[in-house]
Amino acid sequence: MGRGQRNIVAVVESKTWRDEGWSHAGDPQELRATFARFGGPVADWLGAVDQVGVWGLFRHPVAARWQDGRSALVGDAAHPTLPFIAQGAVMAIEDAWILAACLDAEAQQPRALARYQALRAPRCTRIVEAANANARNYHLRGPARAVAHAGLRAISRFAPTAMIERFAWLYDYDPVAAV
Ligand SMILES: Cc1cc2nc3c(=O)[nH]c(=O)nc-3n(C[C@H](O)[C@H](O)[C@H](O)COP(=O)(O)OP(=O)(O)OC[C@H]3O[C@@H](n4cnc5c(N)ncnc54)[C@H](O)[C@@H]3O)c2cc1C
């Protein structure tokens, strides 16, 4: 992206989208119409959009097997995730660190790769499941949404640190100490 350019990622629910792939062209007018109710500067930003790429967000299971003793998967190849907890790239970086640390610590490569998967799979599975849960929570409708928002307002008023403490398992993790 050049200076002064802006990349906008917008998520909309669709019951009809089926195609996987990254290179489907979208329609700027449709984008503007879909997000017409947004306030603030968004309408101006969308007004300037001349190119739209569209892709689907899909749930996929975490791979059952990440390695065969000679090679190993890291990142999305092993555990593709929905983006609703902002951890996909984080997991890929953690994978890379732990893979390197396992290879460094174990003389025998098959043992190192097996240990890498054993250390990473439970955490990545938990993160992918948390992203799936957020996908549901972020897209509640009707009374369920009103109840959830009232609950969030109450929590942030009476126990402001509760939400972040709920995710201590996620944010307090230390990959350097894990191996
Ligand atoms: C909308 C959205 C928002 C996100 N927000 C966040 C966020 O806030 N925080 C976060 O941590 N993560 C976020 N992610 C997730 C993050 O982008 C991915 O999890 C991360 O990029 C995965 O890295 P990777 O290296 O495993 O895979 P990729 O980044 O997909 O890299 C794989 C590379 O391999 C290349 N490739 C594929 N096939 C071949 C081939 N046959 N030969 C050679 N090269 C090939 C591809 O072109 C690509 O460059 C988001 C994702 C999306 C979609």
Side-chain angles (χ1 to χ4, degrees):
M1 260 199 339
R3 202 178 156 82
Q5 288 186 307
R6 180 173 275 125
N7 181 46
I8 300 171
V9 178
V11 179
V12 65
E13 282 180 65
S14 164
K15 298 229 179 295
T16 54
W17 183 271
R18 289 285 175 271
D19 300 324
E20 299 232 18
W22 295 92
S23 44
H24 303 284
D27 177 0
Q29 281 302 351
E30 198 179 319
L31 175 75
R32 287 188 268 277
T34 304
F35 293 94
R37 292 178 60 208
F38 256 77
V42 175
D44 282 348
W45 296 348
L46 298 185
V49 169
D50 54 13
Q51 243 186 348
V52 179
V54 284
W55 70 92
L57 294 171
F58 297 93
R59 286 186 180 83
H60 287 289
V62 172
R65 194 165 169 220
W66 299 19
Q67 55 84 28
D68 64 0
R70 291 188 309 148
S71 50
L73 302 175
V74 294
D76 280 7
H79 41 72
T81 182
L82 294 177
F84 298 120
I85 201 166
Q87 290 293 309
V90 175
M91 284 191 283
I93 295 165
E94 289 176 356
D95 285 351
W97 177 278
I98 293 208
L99 176 58
C102 287
L103 287 168
D104 198 35
E106 294 275 358
Q108 306 217 348
Q109 182 170 309
R111 285 170 59 100
L113 299 189
R115 187 168 176 220
Y116 155 69
Q117 176 170 351
L119 283 171
R120 293 300 297 155
R123 175 171 170 80
C124 292
T125 303
R126 189 172 182 189
I127 291 172
V128 169
E129 285 168 359
N132 289 344
N134 276 354
R136 189 184 57 241
N137 296 339
Y138 291 171
H139 296 97
L140 293 174
R141 289 183 187 282
R145 177 157 67 181
V147 170
H149 285 188
L152 286 173
R153 272 194 294 276
I155 290 170
S156 64
R157 175 140 183 236
F158 298 113
T161 57
M163 288 307 279
I164 198 74
E165 281 161 9
R166 230 182 103 223
F167 286 104
W169 64 271
L170 181 61
Y171 299 118
D172 289 350
Y173 175 75
D174 180 359
V176 177
V179 179

